[in-house]
Amino acid sequence: MSTARTWAVALTGVDGHLVEVEADFSTQTPEFKIIGLPDKALGEAVQRVWNACSNTGLVVPRRRLTVNLSPASLPKHGSGFDLGIAIATAAAGGVLPAEAIRSTVHVGELGLDGRLRPVPGVLPAVYAAARAGFRRVIVPHANAAEAALVPDIDIHAAASLAEVAALHGAEVDVPLVEPVELAGQEQADAENLDLADVIGQDEAVDALIVAAAGGHHLMLSGPPGAGKTMLARRLPGILPLLPSDEALEVAAIRSLAGEPVTRLDPVVPFVAPHHSASPAALVGGGTRVARPGAIVRAHRGVLLLDETPEFQRVALDALRQPLESGRIEVHRAGFTASYPARFQLVLAMNPCPCGNYGVRGAECTCPPIAIRRYASRLSGPLRDRIDIDLQVARVAASRATSGERSAVTSAVARERVVAARASAAERWRGSPWRVNGEVPGERLRTGALRLPAAVRAPLDRALERGQVTLRAYDRVLRIAWTLADLTGASSPGLDELGRALFLKKGLLA
């Protein structure tokens, strides 16, 4: 008997860290101790590993066993270390060759009968192992399709601990067991939502295409039934499909959130949390294990906050930092988890609590103070970070019941969006930005891309009068460049700048 070593993966946010699992038997006093900053779920692995080994036929000595998870300063969470601990324990006890496990990464939770259960985060864990130079990873049977999404690595999916031990050369019987399957079902395909269904909202459809082409954040204001949610739900359908590297990024986040992942979905994610969501539900977090919130799950996609003023104000203000940086950090006493959070924000709100303020032919029953309080739930700094602020009116009954369909379909709109994004990508080639909505304002205000004074004049006047802030000034320039990309112009003119100013603040040049 000697010390045996194998490998597992600790996840902090979306980042995986390779952990060396060392097992060592010492004195005759029976004891099983895990050291190396384990959490409670990992501390309970003691009983799971003993029972699983016993029920599998991997008889280990009843002596003092110490399992060290290195580096010891890195917090370890969850039950995904069970398999690595069991394999290292069996090798230290002489049941299987210690040399066979030194270059293999093990990920999985053990049942008391020795079956392997699926765990969240397998995709980022396997990806971390591949980046660290490992070529073989053993995962539970239920996580096989998810792990196989990482290229150039040998994946072994096992249903039981006995199967893993036999793979490493142990002389044990491998019984036929029914593999543990994922509890959830594969995510349903996106609904077939087409822009052609939107009738009588030509201006809103144009604004939606501008938002998609430049990656701009959008706010839709109007009475109930005007089609705000209908429009927002069609935004993912006109966005370009994700390339493979970004689809892998999105799939890794879904895996961390505990959702089943069996394929790379090129369609951008669409997340619409309920207005009762807490700040932690939006941002993410947890007391012992950090879980991604709605902001993170919308990475590379669309985050819709319907009935925006009904959200807690502190939850809404939590959006401000990721809107600027494209990342979110969750700080807890024992760890800090960092997640990517580059999403397109869509806000939808009524003009007042009853929804009838300013609507022709409708009676608003809200007192003035209630209307002001309702609107003030969106702070000024958050409103300033919105690129397009659009008022949406109800469609006339005669047009709504005419049965007509819009000439602008999602397929046509996506072609325009893809072409506009290609123009922007060519302009920003060699920089970290791909769409106009990501470009820092100073790049557009100064240098070679600075617009002529005659073109900037309406925007400069609005800034001097205090009608726009400097941040809003920059966002108007971004929208103007997107409008130029959509029309095929080499740079924005007065028409594009005037339209951008109207989309941002409702101001006419």
Side-chain angles (χ1 to χ4, degrees), residues 12 40 81 96 132 147 155 159 174 211 247 252 304 327 344 350 392 407 433 448 452 474 476 489 499:
T12 305
K40 183 174 177 59
F81 293 86
L96 55 88
I155 301 296
V174 182
L304 168 63
R327 296 195 69 82
Q344 209 167 333
N350 297 328
V392 183
W433 316 298
D474 294 339
V476 171
R499 175 66 176 163

Side-chain angles (χ1 to χ4, degrees), residues 40-53:
K40 183 174 177 59
L42 184 47
E44 293 173 347
V46 171
Q47 200 59 51
R48 290 194 298 271
V49 169
W50 273 126
N51 285 59
C53 288

Side-chain angles (χ1 to χ4, degrees), residues 97-122:
E99 300 80 12
I101 67 173
R102 288 177 181 169
S103 59
T104 303
V105 178
H106 300 84
V107 179
E109 177 185 329
L110 286 174
L112 298 181
D113 58 355
R115 289 192 299 171
L116 282 181
R117 301 181 180 276
V119 292
V122 164

Side-chain angles (χ1 to χ4, degrees), residues 47-332:
Q47 200 59 51
R48 290 194 298 271
V49 169
W50 273 126
N51 285 59
C53 288
S54 176
N55 292 328
T56 302
L58 298 174
V59 181
V60 295
R62 298 294 293 183
R63 300 174 63 181
R64 175 172 292 176
L65 171 63
T66 302
V67 173
N68 179 42
L69 306 177
S70 178
S73 59
L74 178 70
K76 289 88 178 176
H77 310 284
S79 56
F81 293 86
D82 287 4
L83 181 58
I85 293 173
I87 291 299
T89 298
V95 180
L96 55 88
E99 300 80 12
I101 67 173
R102 288 177 181 169
S103 59
T104 303
V105 178
H106 300 84
V107 179
E109 177 185 329
L110 286 174
L112 298 181
D113 58 355
R115 289 192 299 171
L116 282 181
R117 301 181 180 276
V119 292
V122 164
L123 181 56
V126 175
Y127 187 61
R131 284 187 304 174
F134 287 88
R135 287 293 168 261
R136 184 165 73 164
V137 180
I138 299 178
V139 300
H141 178 273
N143 295 123
E146 178 180 342
L149 296 176
V150 180
D152 302 324
I153 193 165
D154 186 14
I155 301 296
H156 288 272
S160 66
L161 176 60
E163 188 177 338
V164 178
L167 182 66
H168 287 307
E171 297 181 358
V172 294
D173 294 329
V174 182
L176 291 176
V177 298
E178 184 178 352
V180 179
E181 300 294 344
L182 290 169
Q185 299 297 321
E186 172 66 9
Q187 187 178 24
D189 292 334
E191 299 175 81
N192 187 22
L193 303 176
D194 201 293
L195 274 181
D197 301 330
V198 180
I199 305 300
Q201 297 287 8
D202 297 340
E203 185 178 359
V205 169
D206 287 343
L208 201 69
I209 293 173
V210 173
H216 302 295
H217 306 303
L218 174 68
M219 181 162 68
L220 301 171
S221 305
K228 303 184 296 295
T229 305
M230 183 181 188
L231 284 161
R233 293 184 65 83
R234 280 154 179 77
L235 178 57
I238 65 175
L239 289 171
L241 298 177
L242 295 172
S244 58
D245 57 335
E246 293 182 4
L248 184 63
E249 209 177 351
V250 171
I253 292 172
R254 285 185 53 202
S255 175
L256 282 172
E259 300 178 23
V261 178
T262 59
R263 61 186 175 90
L264 293 183
D265 190 352
V267 179
V268 301
F270 177 80
V271 181
H274 191 261
H275 58 74
S276 62
S278 66
L282 283 180
V283 174
T287 55
R288 293 185 299 270
V289 181
R291 293 292 183 221
I295 291 174
V296 180
R297 289 185 281 111
H299 178 59
R300 301 293 183 192
V302 177
L303 175 67
L304 168 63
L305 301 186
D306 206 356
E307 305 295 344
T308 306
E310 300 298 336
F311 283 81
Q312 300 177 42
R313 180 160 180 168
V314 64
L316 293 175
D317 284 341
L319 297 169
R320 288 156 56 177
Q321 185 256 338
L323 284 176
E324 292 291 333
S325 65
R327 296 195 69 82
I328 189 73
E329 288 189 353
V330 178
H331 295 271
R332 293 296 181 266

